[in-house]
């Protein structure tokens, strides 16, 4: 209110000229020629300056409201893109988990195979030591005229389960 009173008190402000300037900027001369948003209407008996000022303000508010709604649409689009990206991320995580599980399974197989080979090697080493020991006993033994039947070495552990072809 104080600013309106100050406007009236100032010298050199011609309210009639101000109203004419506002009317010349508008397309049309009547208040009814400007389409207002549905949620407002002019009050009966309002002055022309008051109606024009109210129209200018409501147009600014309506313009801002439309921009806010447009931002909402952009936000919805961004949310949809995020949802699509989230689905892709979940798919990628599932793929990574499957790949990791495959690597673990392959590692388990290799681990088991290496241990089987180590046990087989140990059995071969023991068998070789036993054969050497027997050869020494036979050559140093009491009589070299005795004929010994070749004994099949008893294999233990994994050596009796795995053939030489499987090792190759």
């Amino acid at each position: 209110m104080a600013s309106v009173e100050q406007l009236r008190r100032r010298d050199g402000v011609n309210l009639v000229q101000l109203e004419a300037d506002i009317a010349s900027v508008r397309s049309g001369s009547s208040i009814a020629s400007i389409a207002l948003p549905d949620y407002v209407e002019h009050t009966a008996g309002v002055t022309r300056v008051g109606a024009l000022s109210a129209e200018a303000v409501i147009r600014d508010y309506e313009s801002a409201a439309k921009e806010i709604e447009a931002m909402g649409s952009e936000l919805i689009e961004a949310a949809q893109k995020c949802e699509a990206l989230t689905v892709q991320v979940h798919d990628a995580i599932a793929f990574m988990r499957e790949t990791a599980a495959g690597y673990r399974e392959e590692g388990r197989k290799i681990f088991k195979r290496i241990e089987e080979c180590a046990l087989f090697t140990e059995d071969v080493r023991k068998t070789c030591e036993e054969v050497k020991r027997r050869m020494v006993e036979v050559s140093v033994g009491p009589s070299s005229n005795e004929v010994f039947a070749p004994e099949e070495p008893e294999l233990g552990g994994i050596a009796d389960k795995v053939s030489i072809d499987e090792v190759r």
Side-chain angles (χ1 to χ4, degrees):
M1 282 273 182
S3 62
V4 173
E5 291 175 7
Q6 288 176 352
L7 182 64
R8 289 183 184 163
R9 291 182 192 157
R10 283 190 179 164
D11 293 331
V13 176
N14 184 347
L15 294 179
V16 175
Q17 182 61 41
L18 179 63
E19 185 177 338
D21 290 343
I22 293 172
S24 69
V25 172
R26 288 187 9 196
S27 60
S29 60
S30 71
I31 294 174
S33 69
I34 299 174
L36 293 175
D38 296 340
Y39 56 90
V40 295
E41 64 181 47
H42 288 291
T43 306
V46 70
T47 65
R48 192 166 165 95
V49 171
L52 293 173
S53 298
E55 285 180 16
V57 169
I58 197 64
R59 290 193 194 290
D60 283 344
Y61 274 86
E62 182 63 21
S63 174
K66 286 182 180 179
E67 288 187 29
I68 291 169
E69 288 174 341
M71 286 189 330
S73 297
E74 290 174 12
L75 188 59
I76 289 170
E77 289 176 23
Q80 289 170 342
K81 288 178 183 176
C82 284
E83 288 172 355
L85 185 59
T86 301
V87 168
Q88 291 175 353
V89 166
H90 286 295
D91 290 345
I93 290 170
F95 175 75
M96 287 179 207
R97 287 183 179 152
E98 289 173 11
T99 302
Y103 269 79
R104 285 186 179 101
E105 180 62 24
E106 190 65 25
R108 186 190 64 78
K109 287 177 185 177
I110 292 171
F111 177 87
K112 185 176 179 182
R113 185 70 176 158
I114 289 171
E115 285 194 344
E116 287 173 352
C117 288
L119 289 172
F120 181 75
T121 302
E122 183 63 23
D123 288 344
V124 168
R125 186 188 62 73
K126 286 180 183 177
T127 302
C128 288
E129 287 176 3
E130 180 66 25
V131 169
K132 279 188 205 178
R133 186 185 56 77
R134 285 185 191 162
M135 287 172 51
V136 168
E137 287 177 2
V138 168
S139 64
V140 179
S143 166
S144 29
N145 293 340
E146 292 181 38
V147 176
F148 291 100
E151 286 186 31
E152 289 291 322
E154 287 189 35
L155 302 176
I158 196 165
D160 61 341
K161 295 179 187 171
V162 178
S163 70
I164 193 71
D165 293 330
E166 289 180 319
V167 176
R168 292 183 193 163

